Amino acid sequence: MATLSSPTTPSSSLPTAAPLAEGSRAMLVFCLFALYVIWGSTYLAVHWALQGGLPPFMMASVRFLMAGLILYTALRVRGAVNPTARQWAGGAVMGVMLLLLGNGAVVFSQQSVSSGVVALVVGSVPLWAALFGGLMGQWPGRAERWGLAIGFCGLIVLNMGSDLRGNTWATLALLVGPMSWALGSVISRRLPLAGGLMASATQMLTGGAFFLLVSLLRGEHLTAVPSAKALLSLGYLIVFGSLVAFSAYGYLLRHTRPALAMSYAYVNPMVAVLLGVVFAGESLSLGGFVAMGAILGSVVLITRARA
């Protein structure tokens, strides 16, 4: 999940995208690749990090604190202004809603649920965003209402099937996480956030600090030296999942239409399922594939309606 302003916010509230300069198509392709493949692969990286001995919230705290510190330092060296107290507070709100609750649901649930199923449920974020947007006065149109209905049916099928059955806490986390991410995305325009990538840096630093607090309260500690694969996965999450992809996401938000920027939401689950099956020996039941079709189809309807 990203920490920049989410594309699930209705397009009418988003600023007009700056046109792509001639010769920027290569950058556009790279950014889309970063969102589709890198963000889709982070679920497998989290799986390997957990499997290799890294406690979930400790791993998340290191990931976001390191990424946030690197980004913040780089921006300050380049002359960026230090965020105000209000902007740090706004970043902290987003850090809780998007990272601690949103991404925290991912790392927590992946202890007992396959990465593909987790990615599929997280892919429902636009459904919740459309619902919260409606409650705040921007109700979806006909196509979006169909998308909401189909998507929630998919979530019910997924919950009734063997993919989540018996994982009560994981199921609850995967309900709260996407809802928190979507609500945070909807209210992000109303918060006093720092400008540009500095907003992402403040969110990652504050979110990482909250992850560290939760890790300490849970008494997480290393029981053995993490495997090399776990450490490499953590490095991948810091550099590619939390720096490269986030920067690419911000570029797309500034230079292309919101529908294209948010298209990662229905590509990531397919990438995560494929990588989980090939590299982690995971599988998806028939009900899971039915739910995937319903959820991804509903997100496409909502996205196209907002294009």
Side-chain angles (χ1 to χ4, degrees):
M1 291 180 170
T3 58
L4 296 175
S5 301
S6 172
T8 54
T9 307
S11 57
S12 59
S13 66
L14 289 169
T16 303
L20 282 171
E22 197 69 30
S24 295
R25 294 189 179 276
M27 178 61 74
L28 174 63
V29 171
F30 170 78
C31 290
L32 289 174
F33 171 84
L35 294 192
Y36 291 177
V37 179
I38 293 178
W39 268 1
S41 65
T42 54
Y43 294 91
L44 180 61
V46 168
H47 170 80
W48 280 340
L50 296 175
Q51 190 181 57
L54 288 172
F57 294 101
M58 180 187 295
M59 179 266 293
S61 69
V62 173
R63 170 188 177 181
F64 290 112
L65 283 175
M66 288 295 295
L69 182 60
I70 293 171
L71 184 57
Y72 175 83
T73 303
L75 291 172
R76 291 287 286 156
V77 168
R78 295 181 60 184
V81 178
N82 190 48
T84 65
R86 293 183 71 248
Q87 290 172 334
W88 276 108
V93 172
M94 296 296 288
V96 169
M97 300 193 72
L98 270 64
L99 297 184
L100 182 62
L101 296 178
N103 188 267
V106 172
V107 297
F108 175 79
S109 59
Q110 279 197 238
Q111 296 177 101
S112 56
V113 180
S114 70
S115 58
V117 171
V118 172
L120 178 57
V121 178
V122 171
S124 67
V125 164
L127 307 182
W128 295 109
L131 178 61
F132 289 133
L135 293 176
M136 294 183 182
Q138 293 177 313
W139 285 105
R142 179 181 300 178
E144 292 176 295
R145 289 197 296 270
W146 275 108
L148 284 171
I150 295 171
F152 282 119
C153 287
L155 290 176
I156 292 173
V157 171
L158 189 66
N159 187 61
M160 293 175 59
S162 59
D163 299 289
L164 287 176
R165 189 187 308 164
N167 294 291
T168 304
W169 288 109
T171 301
L172 180 61
L174 289 176
L175 175 66
V176 173
M179 290 177 64
S180 177
W181 181 281
L183 181 58
S185 301
V186 170
I187 69 172
S188 64
R189 298 289 180 177
R190 307 183 182 188
L191 295 175
L193 301 178
L197 288 176
M198 187 59 81
S200 183
T202 59
Q203 291 167 32
M204 287 193 287
L205 284 171
T206 55
F210 283 118
F211 269 122
L212 179 59
L213 177 61
V214 172
S215 177
L216 293 174
L217 292 176
R218 283 170 52 91
E220 291 185 342
H221 61 278
L222 295 175
T223 58
V225 177
S227 67
K229 180 184 287 188
L231 295 177
L232 288 173
S233 297
L234 178 58
Y236 180 85
L237 291 170
I238 293 172
V239 176
F240 294 98
S242 299
L243 286 175
V244 175
F246 283 169
S247 299
Y249 184 45
Y251 180 88
L252 287 177
L253 286 178
R254 293 190 299 271
H255 295 285
T256 190
R257 66 187 190 279
L260 183 59
M262 79 169 295
S263 60
Y264 78 91
Y266 54 89
V267 177
N268 282 178
M270 293 183 285
V271 173
V273 168
L274 177 61
L275 293 178
V277 170
V278 174
F279 294 105
E282 297 177 350
S283 61
L284 197 63
S285 69
L286 178 60
F289 280 108
V290 173
M292 175 185 287
I295 293 174
L296 301 188
S298 68
V299 175
V300 171
L301 280 176
I302 292 175
T303 304
R304 289 179 64 85
R306 291 179 179 176

